[in-house]
Structure formats: structure tokens, C-alpha cells
Amino acid sequence: MSKLKPRERDAIVQALRAGVVPKLGLRHIQVGRVREIEELVKDMERIADGGSAIRFVIGEYGSGKTFFMNLIRLVALEKGLVVMFADLAPDRRIHATGGQARGLYAEMARNLSTRTKPDGGALASVVERFVSQAHRDAEEKDVPTGTIIRERLSHFEELTDGFEFAEVIRRYWEGHENGDDELKSAALRWLRGEFATRTDARKALGVRTIVDDASVYDHLKLMSAFVCEAGYKGLLVGLDEMVNLFKLTSSQARNANYEQILRILNDVLQGSAENLGFLMGGTPEFLMNTRRGLYSYEALQSRLAENTFARDGLVDLSGPVVRLASLTPEDLFVLLANVRRVMQDDETALPDTALVAFMNHCSDRIGEAYFRTPRNTVTAFVNLLSVLEQNPGVELSDLIETIDVSEDLGEDMSEVDETAGAQPSGDDDLISFKL
């Protein structure tokens, strides 16, 4: 295993204490799920070869969905892909009419990452790389750089909003050539979806369209084509916290989002998308609930239904849905040992027998949930190690009974009232019926 850098150690410890996934150093603590990772590595290779892929990563709260998606994100970066990741939220969703979809795109664009800039904010360097290559080609051929840019992006005009996209890239070059930082900044703002009105975009750049709620998916396809022109292998789009669609109270809004997911799914499965992949993370309720989840939309249910032959321990990882298998107690032991290695230089400070005692305590408190949904278990373990590290005279036996570990039930679902038979008036097709 490669040497752990102090920066990675701090990032891992701080993230685990807060119960969130570290963006750095995942390889130092990753355990289990070998088959799922192998399958998604193949997806990344397919995207790099000009294909497309879509996966719904389904798991309980605290089971490691976000960790798994971030691990695949790092794999994609190593394979030469560009990644755009974002969490859905009440003000960020796939389809909307009030700017929420554009807000999601803007968040993804801000988080755009490459291998050399894995923490986001890489859009400017991707555009710079493209125009620099075009400039070198133009000097070799002794033609204006704008001509080369126009040639290399000519096929964009066949795509929705492609002409404007290519025009914005040309305007960026103009700003680069003339030392006009304001023009370059305006071009990047347009590419990030930060213009709220067409009027502002026309004044700043002379283009008549912007990234709006209706064109988010079209712009993701444009971005995948553009990063390939800039020398990358493709684009991976990651959307976590998809349960926020499940929590929408309006059935009309939910169905509009599910229609957009269906459009993406059809494009990918039919081969219409190129060098483009999607990862969507959600809970079993988000997928299987027949009243509010993806299964409430019949066309999606038929496409995402499980393989009926994959029963009695048999698995099929070739479909769009990847169900994260639970960690075993053995996996969790290795995970805790990895966390111990990250936090303590001297492994003898906390022997293996202490790890077993800690796991037994967690098992007594919350049963098998301690390894099926390990987020709270790991957080408690990090807190324990922190106290032991900062209080040299304290023994594990002094603390073990005071450790509070609770089952991860997904508190953010508490606002969804599944017991109510009907949704608010005017929202659903049939509210009540009386003779």
C-alpha cells in the first residue's frame, strides 16, 4: 500500500468523524465489494472506448453508497475521464421549471474534476487545454486559431444548443487572445450554467441561449463531446442523494424527474450517448416504492426490474441496478484495522483483541446493523481512537461501555409521510372518492 500523506490522513479522520465520505485517500480504508468494483471498472473502460453506461447504486442509509461512488469516481479519473458529481437537494433536481435543474448543472460544473485537479474547479483548465491544442495546430498549419476551433467543433452544430456552445468556446479564445479576462470569465460562467437570463448572455457573449432547466441533459452530452475534443476519454456524471426525488410531494414533479431519468436510461441502453456515463445513488425505497419511487413509473420499473434468476445467493451485476452487498463482520474488522492504521502509527497501541471487543459491544447494542450499515460504527470507532490518543492514561476497558452506537435509520426520511393514503389536494390524480 502506498504511503499515507499527512494531508490524506487529516482528510480521512475529519470526514469519518463527521460521518461523511473523505474525498482523499479512499484506497487506504477500502474493503470488500470486489465484484461490484470490477463491474464498474469495466463500465469506465467502456465509456473511455466511446460507449456509455448507467448504474443505480442502491443501498441502505449508512451502507456505503457515497463511499462506493467516490471510489468509482477516483477510478474514472485514473482512466482519463472527466467527472461531474453533485448531490440532489430540494433546490437541485434533474427536471424543474423554477431553476432547480440549472442549479444542479451549475453545481456539477463547479465540481468538474480531472486527474490533475481531482477536487473540482477544473472547467477552466479543460477549456484552456482545448484552446491551447487548437492554437498549436493553427500555428503548424499557419491558419487562424479561430478557424481550427470552428473545424474541431463543427459537428457540435448537429446537437441541441451545440452552435452556441461552440460559439462560447470561440469567444473564450478571443478573450484569451486579446487579454480580455471579462470575456473569458463570461464564457466560463455560461459553460457553468450561471447565466439566469438569455438577455444577460446575449450582452456578454452574443449568444441567444443559456443552460436552462429544459436543456441540462443536452448540455451534459455537449460537455462529454467537448472533453473528448480536449483530449480526455469521456465524462462520468455522478448524482447522489436521489432520495430527494422520492421526497417530492408533487407527483407531477416526481414523474417529470422520472421521465428525464427514463430519457437518459433509454439513450444509454440504446447506444445513443457516447463517452458518457451516469452513476445515481439512492436507497431501496427510492428504487422500489411503487407509490413514490422509480417503480411508480411503469416504464422505469420494467427496465430496472431484477433478474428473476438471480436468487438464493446468485447475483447478476450486468443490469443497471447495483445493489451494494452488506459488509460481513470480517470486512468490518478489516475496515476498523485500516482506520486504526490511518490514525495510529503504532498498531500495538490498540491490539486486535480491542477491535473484537469494540465489535462485540456494537453487536450487543444494535445487532447486525453494526456491519450492514457501518457508518455510525466507524464514526464511533474514530471518536474512541481520538479519546485514547489524546488521553494516554485511559484504557479501552474504561470507555467501551460508554460508547453510544445507534442504528442508522436515515433521519432525513422522517419528513416523508408514507402512512397518508393521499397527497395534498390538487397534487395527485385521485384524492378521494365518495358516492
Side-chain angles (χ1 to χ4, degrees):
M1 183 175 288
S2 58
K3 183 173 171 57
L4 180 66
K5 300 173 185 174
R7 178 179 172 226
E8 288 181 328
R9 177 191 181 279
D10 292 343
I12 292 171
V13 173
Q14 288 174 9
L16 293 181
R17 283 197 73 166
V20 298
V21 176
K23 282 196 171 182
L24 295 174
L26 292 187
R27 64 190 181 282
H28 294 289
I29 54 176
Q30 161 62 21
V31 297
R33 305 207 169 114
V34 175
R35 294 185 64 183
E36 291 91 337
I37 292 170
E38 287 175 350
E39 199 65 32
L40 268 82
V41 168
K42 291 178 187 173
D43 283 356
M44 299 307 109
E45 291 170 349
R46 188 185 313 128
I47 295 166
D49 287 339
S52 56
I54 183 169
R55 296 283 186 164
F56 295 85
V57 181
I58 302 299
E60 299 286 355
Y61 283 96
S63 64
K65 291 186 303 298
T66 304
F67 187 100
F68 182 79
M69 291 176 67
N70 269 330
L71 195 64
I72 301 306
R73 172 182 174 276
L74 295 177
V75 171
L77 291 174
E78 288 300 314
K79 295 285 183 186
L81 273 64
V82 173
V83 298
M84 296 173 76
F85 267 51
D87 291 350
L88 269 69
D91 60 338
R92 294 199 296 264
R93 51 185 193 253
I94 299 171
H95 180 279
T97 54
Q100 296 93 334
R102 184 173 64 83
L104 176 67
Y105 183 87
E107 179 69 13
M108 285 192 290
R110 281 191 292 272
N111 294 336
L112 188 141
S113 306
T114 61
R115 184 162 44 192
T116 53
K117 295 194 74 173
D119 296 330
L123 180 60
S125 59
V126 171
V127 177
E128 197 71 36
R129 177 171 170 171
F130 172 79
V131 297
S132 298
Q133 290 173 351
H135 183 56
R136 283 197 299 272
D137 290 349
E139 286 186 332
E140 288 174 8
K141 297 178 180 178
D142 196 24
V143 294
T145 303
T147 303
I148 296 294
I149 293 175
R150 190 172 286 107
E151 285 176 6
R152 290 182 60 179
L153 300 183
S154 59
H155 61 286
F156 277 41
E157 296 178 12
E158 302 166 9
L159 304 170
T160 306
D161 289 348
F163 178 82
E164 285 78 9
F165 190 101
E167 184 63 30
V168 168
I169 300 297
R170 287 196 290 270
R171 298 287 283 165
Y172 180 91
W173 167 251
E174 282 179 29
H176 181 90
E177 184 78 339
N178 300 325
D180 188 343
D181 289 340
E182 196 171 319
L183 185 56
K184 286 168 64 178
S185 175
L188 290 173
R189 282 183 60 213
W190 190 94
L191 293 169
R192 284 195 295 259
E194 293 176 2
F195 276 106
T197 66
R198 290 176 173 81
T199 305
D200 291 343
R202 192 162 65 246
K203 281 181 184 175
L205 295 163
V207 294
R208 295 182 175 275
T209 64
I210 57 171
V211 181
D212 57 21
D213 286 336
S215 64
V216 165
Y217 177 48
D218 294 318
H219 278 268
L220 288 174
K221 289 197 284 188
L222 283 168
M223 189 61 76
S224 74
F226 178 68
V227 298
C228 290
E229 287 294 333
Y232 297 94
K233 298 291 183 63
L235 177 67
L236 176 67
V237 177
L239 299 171
D240 203 359
E241 304 296 345
M242 295 290 285
V243 75
N244 278 288
L245 300 184
F246 176 92
K247 288 156 60 176
L248 289 173
T249 55
S250 163
S251 63
Q252 189 175 358
R254 279 198 311 275
N255 286 337
N257 277 273
Y258 293 162
E259 279 176 16
Q260 192 74 336
I261 293 175
L262 178 64
R263 180 188 171 197
I264 295 170
L265 187 66
N266 285 341
D267 265 10
V268 170
L269 297 183
Q270 293 169 356
S272 302
E274 295 179 0
N275 300 101
L276 181 59
F278 289 88
L279 274 185
M280 300 186 183
T283 59
E285 292 87 359
F286 159 70
L287 174 70
M288 300 183 69
N289 189 291
T290 54
R291 203 170 72 80
R292 303 175 73 128
L294 288 178
Y295 276 18
S296 68
Y297 200 84
E298 195 172 327
L300 282 172
Q301 182 174 357
S302 63
R303 286 161 175 78
L304 301 178
E306 293 186 30
N307 186 335
T308 54
F309 295 101
R311 290 181 177 173
D312 303 322
L314 302 176
V315 296
D316 174 22
L317 296 172
S318 62
V321 176
V322 176
R323 289 183 178 274
L324 290 188
S326 297
L327 293 181
T328 64
E330 293 78 13
D331 286 333
L332 185 64
F333 179 85
V334 176
L335 175 58
L336 295 181
N338 288 345
V339 173
R340 176 185 62 184
R341 188 185 307 115
V342 167
M343 293 189 66
Q344 297 183 336
D345 295 329
D346 181 11
E347 291 189 17
T348 59
L350 193 70
D352 289 353
T353 52
L355 301 188
V356 174
F358 175 79
M359 290 171 64
N360 288 337
H361 170 76
C362 293
S363 179
D364 292 341
R365 278 296 184 92
I366 59 175
E368 64 172 12
Y370 83 97
F371 63 83
R372 283 193 299 103
T373 54
R375 175 167 54 193
N376 285 357
T377 306
V378 171
T379 299
F381 184 67
V382 171
N383 289 336
L384 171 68
L385 287 184
S386 296
V387 171
L388 290 174
E389 184 180 342
Q390 296 173 58
N391 300 273
V394 177
E395 295 293 331
L396 176 75
S397 55
D398 301 330
L399 298 174
I400 193 80
E401 290 305 319
T402 65
I403 298 170
D404 182 28
V405 183
S406 58
E407 188 173 352
D408 202 331
L409 298 173
E411 289 301 315
D412 56 345
M413 288 296 290
S414 57
E415 64 207 65
V416 179
D417 184 8
E418 272 295 317
T419 60
Q423 296 175 10
S425 180
D427 178 41
D428 225 332
D429 297 332
L430 183 63
I431 301 301
S432 61
F433 183 77
K434 185 186 291 185
L435 284 173

